[in-house]
Amino acid sequence: MRATALFLVAASLLLGGCAQTLLTVDRVESPYRDLSSLEKGDIVHLATGRKLSQEELLEYLSSYRVVYVGETHDNVYDHQVELTILKGLAERFPGQVVLGLEMLRRPYQEKVDAYLAGELSEREFVRTAWSPSWGPNSWRYYRDILRFVRDEGIPVLALNAGRDLTRAASRAPNLDELDEDLRNRLPKDMDLADPYHRAFIRAIFGGHSEGTNQSEAFYRVQVIWDETMAETAARFLRSPEGRGKRLVVFAGGNHVRYGFGMPRRLFRRVPEAYAIVDPLTIEIPEEKQEKVLMDVTPPDLPLRPADVYWAVGYDDLEDERVMLGVRIEKAEGGGARVLGVMPDSPAAKAGIQEDDVIVSVDGEPVEELFDLTFQVGQHKPGDRGPVVVVRNGERRELQVEYDVVKHGGER
C-alpha cells in the first residue's frame, strides 16, 4: 500500500461530520489480484480475488441480512451501483427489503413516510425533509433512488442524527456540557475508543490536528453519526416491522469502509451477518482531478476495507447544473425578487430584469425561494420553459433556454 494515497475530501461535509473519501485503485490491494488491471464494471470479491458477474454479486449478497454500499456522494457511478444492487435485491426478495439512508435525518422520518405513501409531493419532500437533512443541491444524485423506492413501495429509514444535535456536539467542550434534551438524544453506549476508527478519521481530518479540541470535536461528531445510524437500524431490525426484513444501507464510504463505522456498531447491537460493497474508482477525467483529489496519508490497518469492490469511473453532475443567472431575495407577498442579472445568462437572454418578481416556473408557483431553485434544478442544458414575472404590476411570460452558468457569467 502506498504511504500516501489520493483521497477526495469534501470540506463542507468535514465540517458537518461526514468526511467522504474517494476510494481509488492506488489506495487498496488484494492478496490474489492486481487491482490496477481492473476495468470499469469489474466486480471483485476482495478476500479471494474472484471476479463476479452482477448476478453472482446479487446471489452473494442474498446471504446477508444487512448490506452496506459505501459511496462518494457526488459520484454518479456510485449511485448507479447502489440502484443496481437495490433493484436486484428487491426483485429477489419482494416486500422484504428496506433502505436505510445516511442522507436523511431521524427527525424527518414522518415526512419520508408521507412521501413514500404519496401524501407529500416530491417538491414538498425535498423542501421539508431532504433539503434540511442533506442540502437542496444534492437531490439530483438521489432522485432516481428515491423515486424507485416510492414507486415500488420500499420502506426507507432516516438513519442520521438531527442537525441540532451534531452541531451542538461539535461546539461543546465535551458531551456532558450539552443540555439535558440533547444528552437524552445521544445514542446509548457510544464507543469513542476504537483505535483503528480514530486513526483513520484522524488521517482524514489531518494528523497535524491530533489532540486539538477541533479534531476531538470532529471525531466526536463522526462517532455520534455512526452510532445514531447503527442505533436507528438496530431498533428497526428488532422491531415487529423489521422481523424478516433485509436492510440495505447507503452511506458515505467512511461510514462503512473497514467495518468500524456503522457496521461494527450495528453488529454490537444486533449481531446479524453483513456485507460491504465499495465502489472502487479506477478512472477520473483529467478535468475533474484537481477538484476531487488531495494527498492524505492513511494509516495501515489490519482490516479488510470491504468484502466486494465494484470498479467505477468518476463523474459528477456539475456540468449539467443549470442556473438562471440571477441574484434573488424573497419578495413581499410571495415570489422571488430579482436583485441582479448576470450578463449573457439564460435570464438575461430571456429578458428577465432587475426588480422583476418571478412568480412561476413551468407553470409551478414560486412562493418561496426554494420553489424557484427546485424547479430550475429539474432542467438540463438546452431545455426551454416558461417563466412568469411581475414587472411594474404587469404579468409577463418569458421563455428561458437553460444552460450552465459559472461565476462571472462564463458558460
Side-chain angles (χ1 to χ4, degrees):
M1 183 180 296
R2 290 174 50 182
T4 300
L6 294 174
F7 278 78
L8 175 143
V9 178
S12 62
L13 293 174
L14 275 168
L15 296 175
C18 180
Q20 60 169 326
T21 60
L22 181 64
L23 187 64
T24 52
V25 71
D26 64 344
R27 172 67 181 87
V28 296
E29 55 191 18
S30 169
Y32 292 105
R33 182 174 292 277
D34 178 6
L35 297 181
S36 66
S37 66
L38 295 182
E39 298 180 356
K40 285 190 291 187
D42 286 346
I43 303 169
V44 176
H45 182 244
L46 184 60
T48 65
R50 186 185 188 282
K51 283 189 179 181
L52 305 172
S53 66
Q54 288 189 22
E55 187 63 24
E56 288 174 326
L57 172 64
L58 293 170
E59 182 67 26
Y60 172 77
L61 297 179
S62 297
S63 303
Y64 298 91
R65 190 181 181 194
V66 183
V67 173
Y68 298 94
V69 185
E71 64 171 56
T72 297
H73 301 307
D74 65 352
N75 189 356
V76 297
Y77 298 115
D78 286 19
H79 298 300
Q80 290 174 8
V81 167
E82 290 174 327
L83 188 54
T84 298
I85 290 173
L86 181 62
K87 285 182 175 180
L89 291 177
E91 185 175 311
R92 283 170 172 259
F93 304 102
Q96 298 180 37
V97 172
V98 175
L99 176 63
L101 289 178
E102 172 203 1
M103 305 84 202
L104 286 166
R105 296 178 183 268
R106 292 203 303 198
Y108 302 105
Q109 184 66 58
E110 288 186 6
K111 299 286 188 181
V112 175
D113 295 340
Y115 167 72
L116 297 175
E119 299 166 0
L120 200 64
S121 70
E122 186 172 274
R123 176 196 295 258
E124 281 303 294
F125 169 68
V126 176
R127 184 179 70 83
T128 61
W130 187 270
S131 184
S133 288
W134 206 243
N137 293 329
S138 65
W139 169 248
R140 298 171 299 152
Y141 291 95
Y142 300 89
R143 181 166 47 201
D144 291 346
I145 292 171
L146 270 295
R147 287 177 178 175
F148 172 74
V149 294
R150 179 198 59 192
D151 295 344
E152 296 298 319
I154 296 173
V156 173
L157 292 182
L159 293 176
N160 219 331
R163 191 178 296 276
D164 58 341
L165 175 58
T166 54
R167 184 183 294 115
S170 70
R171 296 172 178 173
N174 58 69
L175 296 180
D176 291 336
E177 299 294 324
L178 297 176
D179 65 43
E180 184 177 2
D181 174 64
L182 291 174
R183 287 200 310 274
N184 289 336
R185 288 164 51 194
L186 288 170
K188 308 302 180 188
D189 303 321
M190 287 198 303
D191 179 6
L192 289 154
D194 186 320
Y196 305 128
H197 187 239
R198 180 176 285 274
F200 183 72
I201 299 303
R202 186 173 65 237
I204 296 168
F205 185 84
H208 61 280
S209 301
E210 180 179 358
T212 66
N213 290 337
Q214 189 179 19
S215 68
E216 284 302 306
F218 174 72
Y219 183 68
R220 205 162 53 225
V221 171
Q222 196 79 7
V223 171
I224 291 172
W225 205 294
D226 288 329
E227 294 281 14
T228 300
M229 293 193 292
E231 183 178 75
T232 307
R235 287 176 181 173
F236 172 78
L237 292 175
R238 290 195 302 255
S239 71
E241 295 79 12
R243 187 174 297 116
K245 296 294 195 301
R246 295 168 175 267
L247 179 63
V248 178
V249 174
F250 296 163
N254 290 341
H255 293 291
V256 303
R257 195 169 295 145
Y258 294 102
F260 46 36
M262 181 183 173
R264 178 173 179 265
R265 297 164 200 273
L266 174 55
F267 191 86
R268 192 178 76 228
R269 292 171 168 90
V270 181
E272 294 280 359
Y274 65 84
I276 300 172
V277 179
D278 209 342
L280 176 68
T281 307
I282 63 171
E283 182 179 305
I284 305 172
E286 185 175 353
E287 65 273 14
K288 303 284 185 180
Q289 292 181 13
E290 183 176 354
K291 171 199 167 190
V292 303
L293 294 178
M294 65 184 302
D295 284 334
V296 172
T297 302
D300 287 320
L301 301 172
L303 303 168
R304 194 158 50 234
D307 296 288
V308 174
Y309 287 126
W310 187 320
V312 297
Y314 175 85
D315 200 6
D316 55 34
L317 295 176
E318 291 308 301
D319 292 338
E320 297 182 10
R321 184 182 173 189
V322 302
M323 301 175 70
L324 276 178
V326 293
R327 290 188 299 111
I328 55 176
E329 68 175 5
K330 182 173 173 55
E332 186 176 347
R337 182 176 301 281
V338 177
L339 301 177
V341 181
M342 296 173 64
D344 199 36
S345 65
K349 291 183 176 182
I352 296 175
Q353 300 178 8
E354 185 176 338
D355 287 330
D356 283 353
V357 176
I358 301 173
V359 294
S360 79
V361 177
D362 303 325
E364 296 290 337
V366 174
E367 298 175 356
E368 301 181 7
L369 300 185
F370 170 84
D371 298 327
L372 174 61
T373 56
F374 177 82
Q375 197 60 37
V376 169
Q378 305 305 300
H379 288 284
K380 294 182 178 180
D383 288 352
R384 293 179 60 86
V387 173
V388 175
V389 304
V390 174
R391 181 182 302 164
N392 299 323
E394 178 184 344
R395 293 174 66 93
R396 303 188 181 202
E397 182 176 298
L398 307 172
Q399 288 294 320
V400 172
E401 182 173 346
Y402 292 94
D403 203 349
V404 177
V405 178
K406 298 181 181 179
H407 292 297
E410 181 186 355
R411 299 165 61 197

